[in-house]
Amino acid sequence: MPALIEAINVKRKMLFEHENVPYACLDADVSTPTARGGQTLVRLKMRNLLTNAVFDKTFKAGDKFREPDLVVVPATFLYRDGDGSHFLDQETFETLTLNEQQVGDAADFLIDGLLLQLNKYNGNPIGLALPTHVDLEIAYTEPAVRGDTSSGATKIARLETGLEIKVPLFLTQGERVRVSTESRDFAGRA
């Protein structure tokens, strides 16, 4: 039987199940009343892991949540087509498909053979977690102009997935760069 989590114990990045739907806590705020007899309330900013909807909801401190039947498995990105994005489960070697909504903004980082984490809820794939950095090739960028060497100067580069980021002036087309998947910023040469 899955363990129960009290609302007052829910912290940032924790996973819990509310009304048979898995959620991730983005932020938790506990408000304790000053008047006698008042109830302690917990305001949670939470993300629905099935729809990616984000909203705030207030619970009593004693409300209980179940731990979700959520499994994280290593997977490799294979390809994208009209049905969605296809991944190879590295444990069972079955092909799993996520639709466009489930992949979301992560599509900007998906390249053939990328190893990532796939979230499965009750045995069905519902989302993915990217590594902190992904190495991508610069598909197009303007050539650097001679004499344009002020420190910290950047230019726009379009990467192989279509993502556009700012890179230092000295980088050219065909070079590989490391990109942070959280901030979507240049993190160095690959």
Side-chain angles (χ1 to χ4, degrees), residues 4 32 37 44 47 53 56 60 72 76 79 90 135 140 143 155 161 165 172 180 185 188:
L4 295 177
T32 49
L44 298 177
R47 166 172 283 143
D56 291 333
K60 294 177 187 169
V72 179
T76 305
Y79 62 94
Q90 293 295 302
D135 296 342
Y140 176 78
K155 61 184 177 180
T161 60
I165 63 168
T172 59
S180 166
D185 291 330

Side-chain angles (χ1 to χ4, degrees), residues 40-115:
T40 301
L41 298 176
V42 180
R43 183 183 178 110
L44 298 177
K45 183 174 186 178
M46 46 204 248
R47 166 172 283 143
N48 182 323
L49 294 177
L50 299 178
T51 65
N52 282 332
V54 175
F55 57 92
D56 291 333
K57 190 158 181 168
T58 304
F59 299 94
K60 294 177 187 169
D63 288 349
K64 294 187 181 340
F65 305 113
R66 289 191 345 218
E67 284 187 9
D69 178 20
L70 197 66
V71 179
V72 179
V73 296
T76 305
F77 176 69
L78 296 174
Y79 62 94
R80 185 178 305 136
D81 64 13
D83 296 334
S85 297
H86 303 277
F87 301 88
L88 179 67
D89 184 327
Q90 293 295 302
E91 293 174 350
T92 64
F93 299 107
E94 66 178 308
T95 302
L96 305 169
T97 304
L98 294 176
N99 63 36
E100 217 174 287
Q101 180 185 357
Q102 292 170 318
V103 172
D105 292 340
D108 291 336
F109 298 100
L110 295 180
I111 55 172
D112 292 349
L114 177 68
L115 188 62

Side-chain angles (χ1 to χ4, degrees), residues 1-11 14-20 60-69:
M1 180 171 167
L4 295 177
I5 308 164
E6 285 193 359
I8 198 155
N9 294 327
V10 174
K11 305 289 183 236
M14 275 183 80
L15 302 174
F16 61 95
E17 192 171 295
H18 175 61
E19 297 175 348
N20 295 323
K60 294 177 187 169
D63 288 349
K64 294 187 181 340
F65 305 113
R66 289 191 345 218
E67 284 187 9
D69 178 20

Side-chain angles (χ1 to χ4, degrees), residues 11 28 52 109 139 142 153 156 178-179:
K11 305 289 183 236
N52 282 332
F109 298 100
E142 295 289 328
I156 300 290
R178 180 159 288 153
V179 182

